Amino acid sequence: MTFQNTREFAQQLDSQDELKHYRDEFIFPQHNGKNVVYFTGNSLGLQPKRTKKYVEDVMNDWGNLAVEGHFYAEKPWWDYHERFADPLSQIVGAKPSEITVMNTLTVNLHLLMVSFYNPTAKRYKIICEEKAFPSDQYMFQSQVNFHGYTTEEAIVEIKRREGEHNIRLEDILTKINEVGDELALVLIGGVNYYTGQVFDMKAITEAAHKVGAIVGFDLAHAAGNIELKLHEWNVDFAAWCSYKYMNSGPGNASGCFVHEKHHHADLPRFAGWWGHNKERRFKMEPQFEPVHGADGWQVSNLPILSLAPYLASAEMFAEVGMPKLIQKRNQLTAYLEFILHEIDSELEGAEFEIITPSNQEERACQLSVFLHGQGRSLFDYLMKNGVITDWREPNVIRLAPAPFYCSYEDMYDFGQTLKRGIIALK
Ligand SMILES: *Cc1c(COP(=O)(O)O)cnc(C)c1O
């Protein structure tokens, strides 16, 4: 499609957008009486209007039924988490039994590493991406230290080549083969949080399995953003947070995937009563017997008040389905990219550079833009003028037009604000 950088053209795309009604299902912060242009759905998704009722239902059940709500609420609390298996399995490409929801992301990755990172004298190394999200880096460091290794001994980072912004798949695969039978675990982000680069999880999983390693993915920026086929790709485990693309609310619960092939295995795990045989959970027996399936990794009884908004949003995703979201995502991101290039050429270039891969196979919702010159003050200008984006050192703004609620007209408005900002700051 040939794009045009005009309001009429953007409005025309909006009028043809099959998902346009969903925009009204979200609450937008206001700027001068208008919705802001919201680019930080990759950090904290907007609140769906239908969320409130899910939370109120729990509040009412708690008020009316108190302890009996565990069994007699309309959505009983004791197995509330099982309601996620269907919608989330569709979103991440899993079998329902491979899904569970609990805790928060970093906590879950630690718990999963208890099961899936068991170094031996020969096989003890972890491959991760260079400049992984800091929480992941701290997790790796503390895990290898806990097992008696230093970071230098046990952590192998895949680096970008000199002068390049993204990591090449061939470099990941080469490194996997190089580390070979010393490799215990590959654990990287499915989508890099900084550049928005999407990794080929299928190829990585195959290569790592070939050398006998386990493979996990941190899907913080992937869940609800890209097509995932975790089961088919044979990924061993994965976890994601729900407050980014999945719009579940600040700091909310994390989803986990454990491949079926591990459900019957006798893996080490840190157990708790919510992972115990469901039929016998309240018999308070001394011997732990895990539920078969990802639910066997549960630890505590669940925070129902925080699961309620996540359930609202998970059901919304299942209602629309990833294919439609991905289709809009691709066009919206392409339009944003077009507008950035238009503004750049109108201003005679070199104001900024998109560091996200331009190839649609290797990116998803996010475009990361490296600002030359007036970086921080341009960011401040955007924020003061109704464009919500975020700032990452040294000079990057990340733009994530979430297809659920961002419009093509938002992209046009953003372009105009950006242009005014660059001119004003010259
Ligand atoms: C957002 C994000 C996190 C955050 O972890 P929490 O435990 O939810 O605070 C971790 N890893 C990555 C890659 C992220 O993008």
Side-chain angles (χ1 to χ4, degrees):
M1 178 181 297
T2 356
F3 292 132
Q4 293 167 25
N5 184 20
T6 63
R7 186 173 299 284
E8 294 67 39
F9 185 82
Q11 285 172 341
Q12 190 191 326
L13 288 179
D14 280 325
S15 70
Q16 293 159 359
D17 171 14
E18 208 186 330
L19 302 183
K20 61 172 178 274
H21 303 295
Y22 277 98
R23 184 172 170 88
D24 295 331
E25 292 233 19
F26 288 86
I27 302 173
F28 282 78
Q30 299 292 299
H31 175 77
N32 292 341
K34 281 178 56 187
N35 290 348
V36 295
V37 176
Y38 196 72
F39 276 132
T40 41
N42 59 351
S43 179
L44 180 68
L46 292 180
Q47 183 184 136
K49 290 178 185 165
R50 57 174 99 170
T51 294
K52 203 172 217 162
K53 177 171 186 312
Y54 282 66
V55 177
E56 278 170 3
D57 285 349
V58 178
M59 292 299 281
N60 290 337
D61 286 337
W62 177 23
N64 295 330
L65 300 168
V67 73
E68 299 218 280
H70 282 299
F71 295 104
Y72 300 112
E74 198 198 325
K75 295 174 185 152
W77 306 330
W78 80 290
D79 60 0
Y80 195 98
H81 58 286
E82 293 180 10
R83 294 170 182 272
F84 288 86
D86 275 328
L88 289 182
S89 63
Q90 293 169 41
I91 293 161
V92 302
K95 294 191 171 181
S97 67
E98 294 172 320
I99 298 291
T100 200
V101 166
M102 58 184 184
N103 313 308
T104 43
L105 174 56
T106 310
V107 172
N108 283 344
L109 288 172
H110 274 299
L111 288 174
L112 288 163
M113 284 181 78
V114 168
S115 299
F116 293 107
Y117 178 59
N118 289 294
T120 63
K122 174 117 186 90
R123 198 183 272 285
Y124 59 93
K125 292 189 178 169
I126 298 177
I127 283 187
C128 62
E129 75 218 269
E130 176 190 42
K131 289 201 212 148
F133 191 86
S135 195
D136 297 35
Q137 295 185 43
Y138 309 148
M139 172 185 70
F140 294 134
Q141 290 159 13
S142 58
Q143 282 278 344
V144 301
N145 293 164
F146 175 75
H147 286 285
Y149 298 95
T150 64
T151 308
E152 294 71 28
E153 281 168 332
I155 299 179
V156 180
E157 291 189 341
I158 317 264
K159 307 219 181 283
R160 289 159 181 79
R161 292 191 190 182
E162 187 77 29
E164 295 186 10
H165 293 299
N166 293 288
I167 296 175
R168 295 197 193 189
L169 176 64
E170 58 190 284
D171 292 349
I172 301 178
L173 302 181
T174 306
K175 188 62 85 181
I176 287 172
N177 286 327
E178 225 173 82
V179 181
D181 56 10
E182 289 179 352
L183 184 58
L185 174 68
V186 176
L187 180 47
I188 60 180
V191 177
N192 182 265
Y193 82 101
Y194 187 76
T195 60
Q197 180 183 14
V198 176
F199 292 109
D200 185 338
M201 288 179 252
K202 181 167 183 266
I204 292 169
T205 305
E206 261 170 34
H209 283 165
K210 226 174 246 164
V211 301
I214 293 274
V215 186
F217 289 101
D218 178 336
L219 300 177
H221 282 260
N225 180 21
I226 66 172
E227 183 181 40
L228 295 163
K229 295 184 180 169
L230 299 179
H231 177 83
E232 197 184 306
W233 295 338
N234 211 9
V235 170
D236 294 288
F237 70 94
W240 55 93
C241 50
S242 57
Y243 46 82
K244 292 176 178 168
Y245 290 102
M246 294 212 61
N247 311 319
S248 75
N252 211 340
S254 153
C256 298
F257 164 88
V258 179
H259 198 282
E260 188 174 56
K261 66 188 173 185
H262 298 298
H263 292 178
H264 297 268
D266 194 17
L267 291 168
R269 71 180 103 192
F270 286 171
W273 69 323
W274 236 247
H276 185 68
N277 181 328
K278 196 179 156 187
E279 271 65 50
R280 310 182 66 82
R281 187 174 299 148
F282 299 103
K283 297 202 188 297
M284 306 303 197
E285 300 157 328
Q287 185 57 42
F288 177 68
E289 182 200 313
V291 178
H292 288 307
D295 282 344
W297 271 263
Q298 288 278 350
V299 182
S300 294
N301 88 99
L302 288 144
I304 304 300
L305 277 168
S306 77
L307 293 196
Y310 189 10
L311 186 60
S313 75
E315 288 179 354
M316 248 171 122
F317 269 85
E319 178 180 302
V320 178
M322 288 311 296
K324 283 186 187 167
L325 286 162
I326 288 169
Q327 200 184 357
K328 177 170 174 190
R329 178 204 78 190
N330 285 345
Q331 185 164 307
L332 197 58
T333 312
Y335 189 51
L336 173 61
E337 183 182 36
F338 164 79
I339 285 182
L340 283 164
H341 288 312
E342 284 291 292
I343 303 295
D344 206 29
S345 64
E346 284 170 28
L347 296 169
E348 276 151 25
E351 299 293 339
F352 46 77
E353 176 190 356
I354 300 174
I355 62 173
T356 305
S358 54
N359 161 16
Q360 213 158 60
E361 301 295 299
E362 267 189 284
R363 72 175 191 208
C365 194
Q366 173 179 325
L367 294 183
S368 298
V369 182
F370 192 96
L371 302 175
H372 299 298
Q374 302 276 7
R376 182 76 208 196
S377 44
L378 185 55
F379 166 76
D380 292 337
Y381 180 93
L382 291 171
M383 292 294 279
K384 278 199 206 98
N385 287 278
V387 174
I388 310 299
T389 168
D390 79 1
W391 176 259
R392 285 287 173 272
E393 294 296 337
N395 237 13
V396 166
I397 56 170
R398 300 185 302 169
L399 309 171
F404 240 130
Y405 46 75
C406 289
S407 67
Y408 293 92
E409 195 170 0
D410 285 343
M411 303 306 107
Y412 173 77
D413 280 332
F414 160 69
Q416 296 304 300
T417 308
L418 178 70
K419 189 173 166 185
R420 281 194 298 274
I422 291 172
I423 292 169
L425 294 168
K426 268 211 166 131

